[in-house]
């Protein structure tokens, strides 16, 4: 299996390292408009071919699959070119910057008969996979209520770097530089975390976005600091469950923590991924009377990179696929419209997905 890496920034290194661990998988080329970064990446991972133009790489053509690790706004145009050329694509999240573009990508992948997957990395959390299995098996009965949160704090401390001086963080605070704020950056992860475990997509939602003052004039150099920093979202799932989904970059004391609580009419599940430690608890049956919770172990699961290669080889389902990525983007689009309407409760327009 010959893999091309499109975009050779920091995240590309995760993709390259993962693929190089797999038997029968070879990274044959890198593509990036930045020649210095491209050369450094190809040297680090012993990649033979280098291209500064995607069209040249497609004309060369000696690859089967692509990891698209370009900036968000480039996902749609670059992926369309690759799909048209009959290449399988693993695209970084979000699949696109709006649902219409995501649907176009989904439709073309189906038309060309190729695998299209979106890299929602928290699907690799074993306890999340186990929770989804338990919900699907009816372990907690009919789902009624949920609470989900994605907590970061890099706007309150420099553990990952100084956002006031480093472009890798500043662009995430600027809509002018392509950011959709915390909603687009990590909101997509916690939406997927919830919908996957609950085994049901979001049907309706109400959302409020908030951008806080962070610098004089809300600008640092070329970066206007106008992207949202926090959001709160009320949602109803298609299975009828009601709950809340929130995310922020101001959660002091939490570097990168995800939490999910699912409550059914026969029990409850609590899922957490905090400080990279996974935990799953359940309360059901005779434990309900005493509100006693039991820990559940979950074995290792294949990574999204392994699932991508397996799907191409016909050995597994392409999960999460482009269609799911388009559903998530429809929910994000609806959240933005809701906030613009002062938090109106709106139906997620997924009719074309």
């Amino acid at each position: 299996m010959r893999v091309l890496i499109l975009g050779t920034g920091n995240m590309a290194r995760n993709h390259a390292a993962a693929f190089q661990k797999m038997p029968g998988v070879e990274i044959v080329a890198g593509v990036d408009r930045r020649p210095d970064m491209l050369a450094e990446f190809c040297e680090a991972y012993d990649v033979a071919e280098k291209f500064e133009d995607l069209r040249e790489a497609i004309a060369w053509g000696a690859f089967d699959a692509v990891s698209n690790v370009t900036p968000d706004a480039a996902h749609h145009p670059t992926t369309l070119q690759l799909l048209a050329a009959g290449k399988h694509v693993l695209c970084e999240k979000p699949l696109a910057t709006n649902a219409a573009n995501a649907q176009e990508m989904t439709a073309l992948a189906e038309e060309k008969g190729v695998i299209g997957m979106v890299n929602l990395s928290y699907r690799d959390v074993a306890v999340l996979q186990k929770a989804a299995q338990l919900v699907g098996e009816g372990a907690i009965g009919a789902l009624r209520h949920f609470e989900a949160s994605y907590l970061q704090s890099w706007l309150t401390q420099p553990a990952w770097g100084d956002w006031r001086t480093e472009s890798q963080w500043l662009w995430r605070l600027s809509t002018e530089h392509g950011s959709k704020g915390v909603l687009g950056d990590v909101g997509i992860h916690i939406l997927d975390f919830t919908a996957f475990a609950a085994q049901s997509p979001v049907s309706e939602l109400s959302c409020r976005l908030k951008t806080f003052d962070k610098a004089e004039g809300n600008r640092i150099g070329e970066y206007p600091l106008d992207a949202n920093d926090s959001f709160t979202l009320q949602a109803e799932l298609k299975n009828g469950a009601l709950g809340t989904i929130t995310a922020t970059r101001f959660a002091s004391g939490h570097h990168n923590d995800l939490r999910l609580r699912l409550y059914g009419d026969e029990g409850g599940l609590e899922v957490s991924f905090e400080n990279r430690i996974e935990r799953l608890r359940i309360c059901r049956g005779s434990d309900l009377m005493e509100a006693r919770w039991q820990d559940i172990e979950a074995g290792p699961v294949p990574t999204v990179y392994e699932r991508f290669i397996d799907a191409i080889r016909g050995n597994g389902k392409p999960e999460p696929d482009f269609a799911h990525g388009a559903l998530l983007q429809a929910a994000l689009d609806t959240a933005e419209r809701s906030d613009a309407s002062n938090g109106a409760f709106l139906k997620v327009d997924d009719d074309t997905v």
Side-chain angles (χ1 to χ4, degrees):
M1 189 68 62
R2 302 166 299 173
V3 175
L4 177 147
I5 306 291
L6 173 59
T8 57
N10 288 335
M11 189 62 190
R13 295 176 179 271
N14 293 343
H15 287 241
F19 284 124
Q20 286 188 333
K21 293 177 182 177
M22 298 181 207
V25 177
E26 180 185 4
I27 302 173
V28 296
V31 181
D32 203 304
R33 293 178 178 178
R34 301 161 295 184
D36 291 345
M37 185 170 288
L38 175 62
E40 180 184 346
F41 173 84
C42 290
E43 181 179 357
Y45 293 96
D46 194 24
V47 177
E49 299 292 334
K50 300 186 286 290
F51 299 93
E52 294 179 28
D53 190 307
L54 177 58
R55 291 171 296 182
E56 293 179 3
I58 291 174
W60 171 65
F63 58 98
D64 308 298
V66 179
S67 264
N68 190 340
V69 205
T70 57
D72 297 356
H75 291 173
H76 172 250
T78 55
T79 296
L80 289 182
Q81 293 178 61
L82 293 162
L83 296 175
K87 306 301 182 181
H88 308 285
V89 179
L90 172 64
C91 186
E92 265 301 322
K93 60 82 186 171
L95 185 56
T97 55
N98 61 69
N101 285 353
Q103 173 57 22
E104 185 179 8
M105 297 159 73
T106 303
L108 186 56
E110 293 174 353
E111 177 187 328
K112 293 295 183 179
V114 295
I115 299 299
M117 287 176 55
V118 58
N119 185 20
L120 295 164
S121 53
Y122 294 104
R123 286 290 188 95
D124 299 349
V125 174
V127 293
L128 178 67
Q129 295 278 349
K130 184 65 175 180
Q133 176 190 332
L134 289 168
V135 170
E137 293 171 350
I140 60 172
L143 197 62
R144 300 302 190 212
H145 186 81
F146 60 90
E147 301 172 4
S149 63
Y150 192 144
L151 306 175
Q152 292 184 337
S153 61
W154 55 265
L155 287 174
T156 71
Q157 45 70 33
W160 294 350
D162 185 2
W163 63 267
R164 295 174 179 83
T165 60
E166 298 180 6
S167 60
Q168 64 174 318
W169 304 113
L170 278 168
W171 82 266
R172 298 176 185 273
L173 307 177
S174 171
T175 59
E176 186 177 301
H177 290 77
S179 177
K180 289 278 191 173
V182 72
L183 177 68
D185 189 17
V186 304
I188 190 169
H189 281 305
I190 195 62
L191 276 167
D192 179 63
F193 210 79
T194 304
F196 178 61
Q199 296 288 281
S200 183
V202 175
S203 175
E204 297 180 71
L205 60 81
S206 166
C207 181
R208 295 307 306 265
L209 308 173
K210 179 74 173 182
T211 305
F212 297 95
D213 293 338
K214 295 179 288 295
E216 185 176 352
N218 286 316
R219 174 179 287 271
I220 296 177
E222 65 176 282
Y223 299 92
L225 309 182
D226 59 345
N228 58 83
D229 302 309
S230 295
F231 76 80
T232 61
L233 187 151
Q234 293 187 73
E236 182 171 335
L237 305 184
K238 284 196 173 181
N239 62 13
L242 188 70
T244 59
I245 303 173
T246 66
T248 184
R249 292 170 171 153
F250 278 99
S252 299
H254 295 274
H255 284 170
N256 196 65
D257 294 342
L258 292 84
R259 298 173 171 177
L260 174 64
R261 294 174 172 86
L262 300 168
Y263 303 111
D265 59 2
E266 295 178 9
L269 283 168
E270 295 187 349
V271 187
S272 66
F273 183 66
E274 302 185 6
N275 290 322
R276 305 196 66 81
I277 297 172
E278 303 182 19
R279 190 180 188 191
L280 175 62
R281 301 197 306 159
I282 191 169
C283 180
R284 62 175 174 171
S286 59
D287 287 334
L288 289 170
M289 289 294 291
E290 303 295 330
R292 187 167 47 243
W293 292 79
Q294 307 286 343
D295 286 323
I296 295 178
E297 298 297 323
V301 298
T303 67
V304 67
Y305 309 103
E306 292 169 324
R307 295 196 303 274
F308 178 55
I309 297 299
D310 284 345
I312 295 170
R313 290 172 170 164
N315 297 328
K317 294 181 179 180
E319 294 181 344
D321 61 10
F322 276 10
H324 181 74
L327 280 172
L328 290 176
Q329 192 58 51
L332 294 177
D333 288 1
T334 305
E336 290 183 329
R337 292 199 304 273
S338 173
D339 179 69
S341 302
N342 294 316
F345 216 83
L346 302 177
K347 182 180 184 299
V348 176
D349 183 11
D350 60 359
D351 293 339
T352 61
V353 176

